[in-house]
Amino acid sequence: MRIGLVGVGRIGAFHAATLKGLPAVDQVVVADADPARAEVVAKELGVSSAPDVTALLGSGLDGFVIAAATSAHADLIAAGVAAGVPTFCEKPVALDLAETERVLELVEASTVPVHIGFQRRFDAGYQAARAAVETGELGYVHHIRTNTNDAFPPHHEYIPNSGGFFRDCTVHDFDIIRYVTGREVVSVYATGANRGEAFFGEYGDVDSAAALLTLDDNTFVTASGTRYNGAGHDVRMELHGSLGSIAVGLDEHTALRSAEPGVTFPGGQPHMTFMDRFQPAYVAELTAFTEVVAGTRAVPCTVRDAFAAFRIADACELSRRENRVVVL
């Protein structure tokens, strides 16, 4: 199959390389807002390039992958749908809830499959945790803890259009909470602070945050995160139940050390980026998209799923700003 990709920044180039290596993909064609950059990346990866999105969508694609700037996602999804091409888009769908809802209505009114990129759904650990919940292995789950700790912050130019910490970073936790538990969030209380570079505060954002979520079965979730985790990139999830507990992301690469005498676990090299931590999940995610393109698999993460996660993130940002509980 022939897959087109728009946006060849860090994640876009990473996706293009992944797609090139998939058995189902015969051709990869890339485009970018900067055509010269698309040509350079195409040459580096040994793939083709198109001068713009219009040319890309008109080049006989079987599938369309969106890895452009967040501000372009909504229009690019609409373009993919209008062209009748199965579409994959990195999260988020849009910069705000109203635009996300507009895209949701557009997609659900069409027959074009649109897959949103929440790669944690394809991580083996999270899938095992979901199975443990579904089978009742843990009994009833009463508490969940999640964390998303980046080793270092993004460039300051990224922050103004990121949507803020909850919508950009913790939204991954919100999606995976729904995926693993099969439950919905009914209320949130969130807080955050800017303790690192001043530019976060200058843009009305925070670099560290935490939220207490209540699920519809009265499971309590604490979700925390930071842009500054010197030990490395640390993404984990703990589920504590009446019959047992399970942890995702707890292995030799966990960016944590024990204070207990004689304990050497974990002893491996910590991951430093999300691409290292989730490399197998990204391969599985894009493999799933090729199956969506082939018509052999239903969309595994829909725009409605993305809307639900974004709605939680939006509520957390409102809670943080107004210092109150927000009921969804």
Side-chain angles (χ1 to χ4, degrees):
M1 63 180 61
R2 178 179 171 89
I3 304 294
L5 180 145
V6 60
V8 292
R10 181 171 65 158
I11 192 65
F14 179 74
H15 282 336
T18 300
L19 286 163
K20 181 187 175 184
L22 297 183
V25 178
D26 302 305
Q27 291 180 297
V28 177
V29 187
V30 300
D32 192 87
D34 179 354
R37 181 166 64 172
E39 290 180 5
V40 169
V41 172
K43 185 176 180 179
E44 290 175 348
L45 296 178
V47 300
S48 302
S49 65
D52 52 42
V53 174
T54 301
L56 182 66
L57 285 170
S59 66
L61 299 180
D62 296 299
F64 179 43
V65 173
I66 300 167
T70 297
S71 57
H73 285 187
D75 287 344
L76 288 169
I77 290 172
V81 170
V85 180
T87 297
F88 174 96
C89 183
E90 270 297 337
K91 69 84 193 167
V93 170
L95 282 171
D96 59 50
L97 196 63
E99 185 74 351
T100 303
E101 187 169 23
R102 184 188 70 79
V103 175
L104 173 63
E105 292 171 353
L106 172 73
V107 170
E108 292 193 342
S110 79
T111 58
V112 178
V114 177
H115 176 180
I116 305 302
F118 280 99
Q119 87 283 356
R120 294 186 195 181
R121 291 175 173 237
F122 300 88
D123 177 81
Y126 286 109
Q127 290 179 343
R130 174 183 167 101
V133 172
E134 288 179 336
T135 61
E137 173 187 331
L138 306 179
Y140 65 84
V141 176
H142 44 78
H143 285 84
I144 297 172
R145 298 188 183 98
T146 71
N147 62 270
T148 297
N149 299 334
D150 288 333
F152 43 82
H155 193 274
H156 72 88
E157 293 179 353
Y158 175 79
I159 299 303
N161 295 314
S162 70
F165 192 90
F166 291 111
R167 301 186 188 99
D168 176 58
C169 191
T170 322
V171 70
H172 280 286
D173 296 278
F174 302 150
D175 177 70
I176 207 63
I177 288 162
R178 296 184 63 249
Y179 175 78
V180 168
T181 66
R183 314 302 307 192
E184 299 294 344
V185 174
V186 295
S187 70
V188 307
Y189 176 72
T191 188
N194 178 203
R195 302 184 64 190
E197 292 288 346
F199 63 76
F200 288 99
E202 291 168 1
Y203 295 123
D205 199 4
V206 297
D207 56 45
S208 296
L212 173 63
L213 318 177
T214 302
L215 306 188
D216 58 12
D217 63 348
N218 282 328
T219 299
F220 300 113
V221 182
T222 53
S224 63
T226 182
R227 300 288 194 183
Y228 294 92
N229 196 59
H233 185 76
D234 183 15
V235 173
R236 283 177 286 118
M237 182 184 211
E238 299 174 11
L239 295 99
H240 299 274
S242 59
L243 297 180
S245 299
I246 195 169
V248 179
L250 182 62
D251 60 19
E252 286 291 341
H253 300 288
T254 302
L256 196 67
R257 66 180 179 85
S258 175
E260 299 301 326
V263 177
T264 59
F265 175 85
Q269 184 67 31
H271 297 295
M272 296 307 293
T273 71
F274 63 89
M275 291 185 291
D276 292 336
R277 165 69 174 83
F278 289 107
Q279 196 275 337
Y282 280 116
V283 173
E285 177 182 57
L286 288 176
T287 298
F289 177 60
T290 65
E291 294 166 355
V292 171
V293 171
T296 60
R297 181 171 184 165
V299 175
C301 187
T302 65
V303 176
R304 184 164 290 279
D305 287 322
F307 176 79
F310 196 96
R311 184 166 172 255
I312 299 165
D314 214 50
C316 284
E317 179 61 15
L318 178 62
S319 173
R320 180 187 75 83
R321 289 183 179 275
E322 298 188 358
N323 191 29
R324 66 179 178 88
V325 173
V326 174
V327 177
L328 279 79

